[in-house]
Amino acid sequence: LANENVVDGKCWRCDSQVIQKEVDQWFIKITDYANRLIWPEKPTVDWPIQVRVGQNNWIGKSEGLIINFSGIEVFTTRSETIDGASFLVLSPEHPFVIKMTTNDNLNKVKKYLNQSTQKTEMERKENKEKTGVFTGSYVKNPVTGKKIPVWVADYVLFGYGTGAIMAVPAEDERDRKFATKHNLPIIKTSLKAKPNGKKRSIYHLRDWSISRQRYWGTPVPVIHCPSCGIIPVPEKDLPVKLPYEVDFTPHGKPPLATNEKWLNVNCPKCGKPAKRDAETLDTFFDSSWYFLRYVNPKYNNGPFDTRRVAKLTPVDVYFGGAEHTLGHTLYARFFTKFFNDQKMLDYDEFALKRVQHGVVLGPDGNKMSKSKGNVVNPDIQVKEYGSDTVRLYLCFMMPYEGTGPWSDQTIAGVNRFLTRIWEIYQNYFVILRQAQDDKSVMVSSTNHDKNLETKLKKTIKKVTEDISNIKMNTAIAAMMEFLNDWERNPQGLLIESAKNFLQILAPFAPFLTEEIWRSIFGEKTSIHLSSWPKVEGEIFEEKMTIPVQVNGRLRSTIWMSSEKITNKKYVEEMALKEEKVKKYLTGKDYKIVYVPGKILNFVIN
Ligand SMILES: [Zn+2]
Ligand SMILES: [Zn+2]
């Protein structure tokens, strides 16, 4: 398993305890790209800050010095504290451990090395018991010249730095606990020490282990020959295909090794009998560059069609979840930089924009889980409301990036909205029939409502923009608002406009809109193949004036966009903002008489 697949010391898929064992494995040297994978302050592509910070922390660059303690190289980011270094700690895997151990400490040290192999990396890092043993040897602190003891402790990991640290218990919490437990000296530091050393940047990021003992995967394309060693499968024989006949029962070897016919081949170099590598590549290996293969999956002259890839990529917007921050998207960025170095790509970030979806929580606001009993099963929701409602609800319930609880009330409301859509178009059908009888293309010129048409244009514009900005929730809110207005005058839209509204709703409720499109408007081709309605130029907004009276005498005139005139409360508020009106009304009881679009009269009791 890769480091990224270990969660709390357990396998991320099956929860089995992860133990460490030394085996031969294939690695990708991603560490050579560590520095280039670090996001700059102002990147050229639009990726969320959480992803960039998360990846930078995972890569974990630290700059420091390599300092020589009597032949043992130590990496430190705090070289100014070296005069407080009171002992040295080697990781159990450090090649000098046995060499440094004196005879009377040998048994103790060997026992300790054995114990630490049983521990997971997590346990080692935590090192709750502050375990460790003395080797019996000393080295010289190059700044103070004092002899300091050399210990072995498994909280020092061999993969990080040089696998040896100088311990400064006066400054470092973990070193202090270790020193206290083992009665080691704690020496004050001047914080001004300037030791000699080589500058070095080290990274938390490790090389990427890509060997898996699984069946499903891409076979590692190499051949093991007893005489020639490891030989890559010749390019003309690629790709190596998975054999179908394998034995999956556990017997301590990978499934591919059970098919002798597949396994045994002749060495491409010397022709003598040899064996294929029976392991497969980590799935993340393939998912790191699939988007390059997808543009021409039948391409046979290489991993991907570089000409078509140059035309169609980089990816414009890459959607996905936050769980891909430290795995998939980091690997894909690495592959992109590698292909860029190979002159197979002319860019080095594969996606211009990254958008991460949020999480739908249970109705109680907690993460859905079987044990909490708060799981909402989408299949059941689809059965109850239909997939259009469920889809529309998911788009509407919160911003795409947001995380929030499932709401039974809101989905019921969304369902009512679609029912009202269905009904208004059914009524429209009746009107349409009458219009056809009249041999008229317009619904009815007397009912045609210019304000409603203007409102629709605005709605189309907003929905179009919101979709490009991945703001589905506000697009739907705008359509809901439009429906409210339309319902006040169901005959107010031209046929073309009624179809346009259906078209902008289509991506959100594909089945209902298709049904209406065909049954009401008699269309023969799908609404989803029709072209998106366009709103050109500025939307002309009609302004209207309304005279305002107090006790029948004209006191003021207010202006507003014509679509607002049906909103009595709004008109009233606008009038009350007028100083010339307000002064007659303060402290008085009055009632309001409003003739929409004509006159507003305040009558004082
Ligand atoms: Zn597992
Ligand atoms: Zn050979």
Side-chain angles (χ1 to χ4, degrees):
L1 285 179
N3 212 3
E4 290 83 339
N5 301 156
V6 182
V7 177
D8 295 334
K10 289 179 178 165
C11 168
W12 67 322
R13 282 283 156 85
C14 66
D15 269 353
S16 34
Q17 194 67 40
V18 174
I19 55 158
Q20 299 195 39
K21 234 168 141 183
E22 273 201 39
V23 286
D24 280 333
Q25 289 222 310
W26 290 102
F27 284 85
I28 293 287
K29 210 171 176 207
I30 191 172
T31 49
D32 272 3
Y33 284 74
N35 203 39
R36 284 166 66 189
L37 285 167
I38 292 174
W39 287 96
E41 195 89 18
K42 284 184 183 143
T44 52
V45 291
D46 180 12
W47 278 50
I49 182 81
Q50 310 92 288
V51 177
R52 290 186 274 128
V53 170
Q55 293 192 345
N56 282 358
N57 289 342
W58 181 253
I59 296 164
K61 181 178 184 171
S62 31
E63 286 166 320
L65 280 187
I66 301 274
I67 300 168
N68 196 316
F69 283 73
S70 315
I72 298 178
E73 290 198 320
V74 161
F75 175 79
T76 176
T77 57
R78 307 249 357 236
S79 58
E80 74 282 3
T81 66
I82 190 172
D83 53 356
S86 55
F87 57 101
L88 218 67
V89 188
L90 304 180
S91 81
E93 296 86 355
H94 197 286
F96 290 0
V97 170
I98 296 297
K99 203 172 85 182
M100 297 292 294
T101 304
T102 55
N103 277 339
D104 44 332
N105 288 294
L106 202 56
N107 280 341
K108 205 173 54 181
V109 168
K110 278 187 171 166
K111 199 177 150 206
Y112 184 74
L113 298 187
N114 205 12
Q115 280 167 357
S116 65
T117 58
Q118 317 283 316
K119 290 189 202 166
T120 65
E121 193 175 304
M122 272 306 276
E123 287 169 338
R124 284 181 57 170
K125 275 193 208 155
E126 282 173 1
N127 192 21
K128 282 198 188 108
E129 280 90 46
K130 314 281 164 258
T131 64
V133 284
F134 181 39
T135 61
S137 295
Y138 295 83
V139 289
K140 209 170 83 176
N141 181 322
V143 166
T144 63
K146 282 184 190 145
K147 271 170 63 180
I148 59 172
V150 179
W151 282 64
V152 185
D154 56 18
Y155 76 87
V156 178
L157 302 175
F158 190 58
Y160 184 81
T162 59
I165 62 152
M166 63 175 205
V168 185
E171 284 294 310
D172 184 280
E173 179 70 23
R174 208 162 49 160
D175 293 347
R176 181 161 47 242
K177 284 184 177 155
F178 192 87
T180 311
K181 166 143 188 204
H182 299 286
N183 284 320
L184 289 157
I186 298 173
I187 301 167
K188 244 186 101 106
T189 154
S190 67
L191 298 172
K192 283 175 191 156
K194 284 202 179 84
N196 293 323
K198 288 173 278 179
K199 274 193 184 163
R200 171 99 51 101
S201 296
I202 64 154
Y203 301 88
H204 170 260
L205 186 75
R206 311 287 179 79
D207 280 332
W208 174 17
S209 148
I210 49 160
S211 297
R212 295 292 179 277
Q213 292 72 45
R214 296 191 182 127
Y215 172 73
W216 279 114
T218 305
V220 175
V222 302
I223 289 164
H224 300 265
C225 170
S227 336
C228 314
I230 293 169
I231 304 290
V233 172
E235 220 173 304
K236 65 174 174 54
D237 298 333
L238 292 176
V240 178
K241 288 188 178 157
L242 274 179
Y244 284 109
E245 281 149 31
V246 290
D247 180 2
F248 292 101
T249 53
H251 32 49
K253 54 180 176 178
L256 291 187
T258 64
N259 184 325
E260 293 281 332
K261 216 180 132 209
W262 178 86
L263 191 69
N264 293 306
V265 284
N266 291 330
C267 169
K269 205 172 161 194
C270 69
K272 284 187 220 153
K275 283 188 193 317
R276 291 187 186 282
D277 198 303
E279 303 198 330
T280 49
L281 299 175
D282 181 7
T283 54
F284 283 117
F285 191 95
D286 305 302
S287 63
S288 296
W289 60 285
Y290 70 92
F291 39 85
L292 303 174
R293 181 70 192 170
Y294 275 18
V295 304
N296 186 358
K298 292 187 175 150
Y299 186 71
N300 273 330
N301 302 320
F304 58 86
D305 181 344
T306 48
R307 273 182 53 197
R308 203 180 283 185
V309 157
K311 248 187 237 170
L312 294 176
T313 64
V315 175
D316 296 299
V317 186
Y318 200 56
F319 294 95
E323 73 277 14
H324 288 307
T325 296
L326 304 183
H328 166 58
T329 58
L330 186 62
Y331 294 137
R333 291 182 59 227
F334 157 62
F335 264 62
T336 307
K337 289 173 198 302
F338 172 76
F339 286 138
N340 180 256
D341 286 351
Q342 299 300 309
K343 308 257 184 297
M344 293 165 81
L345 290 179
D346 60 2
Y347 49 83
D348 77 343
E349 289 291 350
F350 74 96
L352 300 177
K353 186 179 170 73
R354 168 78 172 164
V355 179
Q356 293 193 151
H357 59 72
V359 179
V360 179
L361 303 173
D364 57 358
N366 293 309
K367 211 172 167 189
M368 287 190 201
S369 80
K370 276 186 188 155
S371 59
K372 285 209 175 94
N374 62 351
V375 176
V376 177
N377 182 342
D379 290 341
I380 293 170
Q381 299 295 321
V382 167
K383 247 184 203 152
E384 179 157 1
Y385 292 113
S387 61
D388 275 355
T389 296
V390 176
R391 176 195 304 256
L392 194 69
Y393 167 67
L394 288 173
C395 291
F396 178 64
M397 68 179 292
M398 59 191 173
Y400 186 83
E401 296 92 336
T403 285
W406 178 274
S407 160
D408 286 329
Q409 286 97 316
T410 312
I411 193 171
V414 166
N415 188 249
R416 278 194 299 277
F417 166 70
L418 287 182
T419 308
R420 282 161 56 204
I421 290 281
W422 178 254
E423 279 164 2
I424 202 163
Y425 279 100
Q426 295 307 312
N427 291 333
Y428 204 79
F429 179 71
V430 178
I431 304 160
L432 206 59
R433 268 294 173 76
Q434 289 164 355
Q436 275 163 354
D437 292 345
D438 293 348
K439 303 259 181 294
S440 157
V441 276
M442 276 218 283
V443 171
S444 157
S445 50
T446 47
N447 287 318
H448 179 223
D449 183 340
K450 274 194 182 152
N451 297 326
L452 195 61
E453 293 283 356
T454 306
K455 175 93 182 176
L456 177 63
K457 278 185 188 161
K458 281 185 173 174
T459 308
I460 293 171
K461 197 161 173 249
K462 177 156 177 60
V463 170
T464 308
E465 286 166 2
D466 282 357
I467 290 176
S468 331
N469 295 323
I470 312 152
K471 294 190 185 318
M472 274 78 81
N473 58 326
T474 52
I476 294 163
M479 290 188 278
M480 288 175 166
E481 202 186 305
F482 177 77
L483 181 64
N484 289 341
D485 285 3
W486 189 13
E487 282 174 336
R488 286 194 203 106
N489 184 3
Q491 305 184 19
L493 285 187
L494 298 172
I495 296 178
E496 219 35 60
S497 307
K499 283 162 97 174
N500 284 348
F501 183 59
L502 199 64
Q503 284 173 303
I504 60 170
L505 181 62
F508 301 95
F511 296 101
L512 180 87
T513 51
E514 179 77 358
E515 181 68 28
I516 296 171
W517 184 250
R518 288 172 188 266
S519 66
I520 303 297
F521 296 107
E523 291 287 342
K524 296 282 180 280
T525 48
S526 171
I527 190 170
H528 306 296
L529 296 173
S530 67
S531 35
W532 191 254
K534 269 196 196 122
V535 178
E536 271 150 11
E538 238 179 285
I539 297 164
F540 177 69
E541 216 178 307
E542 246 177 301
K543 286 265 187 183
M544 289 189 78
T545 57
I546 296 168
V548 183
Q549 295 179 335
V550 178
N551 282 346
R553 291 191 61 178
L554 184 69
R555 295 299 179 192
S556 184
T557 305
I558 52 174
W559 288 76
M560 65 187 62
S561 84
S562 51
E563 64 179 81
K564 289 269 176 23
I565 57 160
T566 50
N567 188 337
K568 185 181 168 191
K569 205 166 161 17
Y570 177 81
V571 176
E572 195 185 308
E573 274 167 18
M574 292 296 286
L576 285 170
K577 276 185 190 155
E578 295 287 306
E579 208 43 54
K580 286 176 279 177
V581 176
K582 214 164 82 182
K583 68 177 180 188
Y584 293 103
L585 298 172
T586 24
K588 305 256 169 65
D589 268 351
Y590 54 84
K591 61 175 194 267
I592 298 159
V593 181
Y594 178 53
V595 185
K598 299 264 156 48
I599 198 153
L600 178 69
N601 191 7
F602 291 93
V603 182
I604 297 169
N605 296 333

